Amino acid sequence: MGITSSIEDGIAEVVMEHPPVNALTVAGWFELADVVRGLGEDRSVRAVILRAEGKGFNAGVDIKEMQATEGFDALLGANRGCFAAFAAVYECAVPVIAAVHGYCLGGGIGLVGNADIVVASTDAYFGLPEVDRGALGAATHLARLVPQHKMRAMVYTAATATAQELHQFGSVLQVVERDELRPAAIEVARQIAMKSPTVIRAAKESLNGIDLWDVKRSYRYEQGFTFELNLSGVADEARDAFVEGRDADFTK
């Protein structure tokens, strides 16, 4: 349970398993960041696969933990933890391959959007339910997966997109059956691992260097609006409604 990792033939696997829905706690986000960064610093590692066990890839932050914590400690922790985990994937010294099954929501979009390569199973779908939770964030990363106007529609409506749609956009490399997902990710990782590790690490650094925007700064800008929404009180009502299983009342 939690975050586990292993290395075989230069390929590292990081597995998220946090029942019931792989919504990570504050500690879980920081642990994921530490594991991914550590693997990138290991010179024996040539590629990293990020995947999950359970119903889906990732359901974002643990809202129940946030609402059960007094004050803003859990909110601040979740924001900083997500920032650290997303950055760790982006800045990992070797390519990161995200293997996505089931739902990839909220913070999951941040991880996948910052990965180098994405493979997905036929049941995978992607979305940002943030507006329904009184928050914002990870539109930076969604914009790396879908076109601009599609991204805006998904943010405003909390609609999801399928793996097949993302494959058509070119952001998902392969769509395979669920039982073929891990082998497909390993095969891509093997192709990378066969190359010169010196060249691959240089390629990762150079590709990050020519990105059109700074994903860390862009995401941090989004987070500022989440803080404003929390100060306004609307975010607490949205999260309480989610935990209590009711519709949020935004008329107050």
Side-chain angles (χ1 to χ4, degrees), residues 220-243:
R220 194 61 173 161
Y221 180 82
E222 289 186 77
Q223 286 186 316
F225 287 92
T226 296
F227 291 131
E228 288 185 16
L229 291 170
N230 274 281
L231 291 175
S232 75
V234 67
D236 260 330
E237 165 59 17
R239 290 194 301 266
D240 283 342
F242 173 78
V243 171

Side-chain angles (χ1 to χ4, degrees), residues 51-52 56 66 68 89 102 122 125 141 166 184 194 200 208 221 224 251:
R51 64 180 187 88
M66 194 175 294
V89 170
T122 54
Y125 61 95
H141 312 92
L166 268 61
M194 292 172 60
I200 291 297
N208 282 4
Y221 180 82
T251 62

Side-chain angles (χ1 to χ4, degrees), residues 185-220:
I186 291 174
E187 177 55 31
V188 174
R190 281 180 180 153
Q191 293 177 29
I192 295 170
M194 292 172 60
K195 312 296 184 184
S196 161
T198 301
V199 173
I200 291 297
R201 285 172 178 262
K204 175 66 183 273
E205 186 175 355
S206 68
L207 290 175
N208 282 4
I210 64 171
D211 252 337
L212 298 180
W213 66 80
D214 184 334
V215 294
K216 291 171 64 179
R217 183 170 60 185
S218 179
Y219 176 55
R220 194 61 173 161

